[in-house]
Each structure stands twice: as structure tokens, then as C-alpha cells.
Amino acid sequence: FISVPIVYLSAETDVAAKLEAMRLGGDDFISKPVDPSFLISTVRTRTLRHQHIRQHIVRDGLTGLLNHTRFKEQINIEITRARRLQQPLSLAMIDIDHFKHVNDTYGHPAGDRVLRLLSRFLERRLRCTDVCGRFGGEEFGVLLTGADAEQAAKVMDALREDFSQLEQTAEQQAFHVTFSCGIADLSAATDTTQLIRQADRALYRAKHGGRNQVRIATLFND
């Protein structure tokens, strides 16, 4: 409950008791009687503030996607849910092709715009039940719930094709960017670490197989 704001409302008048309550984790101490509008305003302000702080803790600052740590936690959650419901689950690892070339040629601001564009593209095109995260650098992860590797590959390949058609611009110069993708599902992994490893290996095959393609981990021996 570290991210839940705690506001005490009490008729307690002893200062030492109030200080002890705050020391134990309280965010505020309101003494009775209290005007209802003041109480509501205080609770609302505290809640919004904690929500804002939480966004900075779990979200990547540039893209707004889940950060590396939070995304791995979400993989654990989704694996548990998928097994309980006996449903498939796939992890897609995405890496932007020749991203260093983009930064070197068009500048880092252009590279940042590419990262933000891909983030928005994924969020808009994927289902609300799917989860996107930034692993770091130009690498992203997508959890596709209720989809096995073959189904996920069809989805990601369509996204790959459409993203490659988007025109990027930098200082009146137009260019296109592609990405490579590796996919693994629960049939190829027993836990979060193994699922990530399998998807990473598939991504490695995609990158070294010519880039701008999707590979599935279960299609080859890792």
C-alpha cells in the first residue's frame, strides 16, 4: 500500500499521538469537526498527487509506456492469469532497425520522435487488454493476451508492415523506419525469465536474418 495515500480523520487532540500517526506513514491528519468540502478537497488532492507520482514510477518518461521493471512485473501477472484461465499468452520483443543510424543521420531529437511514434502506434493499434512496455533504448515489449505465438505473429507482422509505411520527418527530410520482432508464448516457456529469453532469441534471429521481419521462438531449436 506504499502508493495509497493515507489521511487520518480523528477527534484526537494530543499532538504526540498525531505525530506518531504521521510517523507511521500518514500523509495528513485532519481534526474533527471538519467541513465536508474541505475533507473531499484534501482527499482528492492527495489522490491526484499520488497518481501523478505513481505514473512517474511505473512509466517511461519519453514514451509513456510501462518501464522495464513494471513491464516485467506485468508479465508475471499475465502469466499467472493465463494459466489460471487456461488461455494462451504471447510476448513480442521489438527492436527498431538501424536506430543508431537514425540518431547519427537525423539527430537524437528525431530518434526520440521515432520512439514516441512507435509507442503511440502500438497503443492505438493493439487491444486494450494487450500491454506495451519499453525495455530500454530502442527495444519494446508487447504482451498479447489470449493469443498463441502464431496468432501474435500475424498481428505483429501486420503492425510491422504498416509502421514501415509511415513517413518520418526531420528538418524537412523524409525517411522510413522498420522494426524486427521476436515472439514466444507459454508453450515455449515456464516463467517470465524464460519467456523473455525465448522472445529475445527469436528477435536475434529476426535481426540477423535480414531485419524488418517477425520470427517465432518455437519455429526453431534454441
Side-chain angles (χ1 to χ4, degrees), residues 157-174:
D157 200 46
L159 295 181
R160 176 199 61 77
E161 178 64 26
D162 290 347
F163 183 75
S164 69
Q165 302 301 315
L166 296 180
E167 186 175 273
Q168 317 276 346
T169 58
E171 298 181 355
Q172 299 183 338
Q173 297 183 72

Side-chain angles (χ1 to χ4, degrees), residues 58-69:
V58 304
R59 297 281 175 177
D60 173 64
L62 178 64
T63 65
L65 300 181
L66 295 180
N67 60 29
H68 182 273
T69 300

Side-chain angles (χ1 to χ4, degrees), residues 136-182:
E138 65 272 26
E139 193 169 68
F140 296 80
V142 177
L143 276 171
L144 296 105
T145 59
D148 60 24
E150 292 285 350
Q151 294 168 327
K154 290 180 181 179
V155 172
M156 297 309 301
D157 200 46
L159 295 181
R160 176 199 61 77
E161 178 64 26
D162 290 347
F163 183 75
S164 69
Q165 302 301 315
L166 296 180
E167 186 175 273
Q168 317 276 346
T169 58
E171 298 181 355
Q172 299 183 338
Q173 297 183 72
F175 61 99
H176 292 82
V177 177
T178 63
F179 67 72
S180 301
C181 178

Side-chain angles (χ1 to χ4, degrees), residues 30 34-45:
I30 301 175
V34 60
D35 183 88
S37 61
F38 177 78
L39 176 61
I40 293 171
S41 177
T42 299
V43 172
R44 180 183 292 116
T45 299

